[in-house]
């Protein structure tokens, strides 16, 4: 979707850009944020990072289909810092 739709739309509208290959990770997160997620237990593969972006940036509760329980552990580690978390 990024390469087929967003990039062609950006070029058609003549929006300045400096990246040859656009990536969701670079647009919607930072290396520091991804590093923090990793320290909380999120794997560093592309799909996990995209799911992390959807989980943290969405305005609604995400639906995580998580057969290996990686997202569950990451969310627990992330939210345990919140005093209201049970």
């Amino acid at each position: 979707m990024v390469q087929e739709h967003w990039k062609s739309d950006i070029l058609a509208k003549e929006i300045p850009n400096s990246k040859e290959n656009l990536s969701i990770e670079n647009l919607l997160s930072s290396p520091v944020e991804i590093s923090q997620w990793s320290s909380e237990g999120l794997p560093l593969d592309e799909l996990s990072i995209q799911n992390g972006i959807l989980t943290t940036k969405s305005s609604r509760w995400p639906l995580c289909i998580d057969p290996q329980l990686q997202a569950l552990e990451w969310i627990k580690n992330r939210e345990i810092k919140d005093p209201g978390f049970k």
Side-chain angles (χ1 to χ4, degrees):
M1 183 176 97
V2 172
Q3 297 302 322
E4 291 178 22
H5 299 287
W6 287 7
K7 186 167 184 171
S8 62
D9 194 40
I10 287 172
L11 294 173
K13 293 179 180 177
E14 299 179 359
I15 296 172
N17 65 78
S18 61
K19 301 200 180 193
E20 184 66 28
N21 293 320
L22 295 176
S23 74
I24 295 287
E25 295 86 6
N26 292 335
L27 290 171
L28 300 177
S29 66
S30 69
V32 172
E33 189 172 34
I34 292 170
S35 176
Q36 179 183 356
W37 296 343
S38 175
S39 71
E40 295 166 346
L42 186 70
L44 288 177
D45 61 277
E46 183 179 2
L47 183 60
S48 295
I49 292 171
Q50 289 175 0
N51 287 331
I53 291 168
L54 291 172
T55 301
T56 58
K57 307 288 186 193
S58 65
S59 61
R60 296 178 178 238
W61 293 99
L63 171 63
C64 296
I65 300 172
D66 187 25
Q68 296 176 336
L69 302 178
Q70 293 174 323
L72 175 66
E73 288 303 314
W74 173 61
I75 291 169
K76 280 183 179 180
N77 291 337
R78 182 175 175 76
E79 297 300 324
I80 199 76
K81 300 173 192 171
D82 182 5
F85 180 73
K86 294 182 182 181

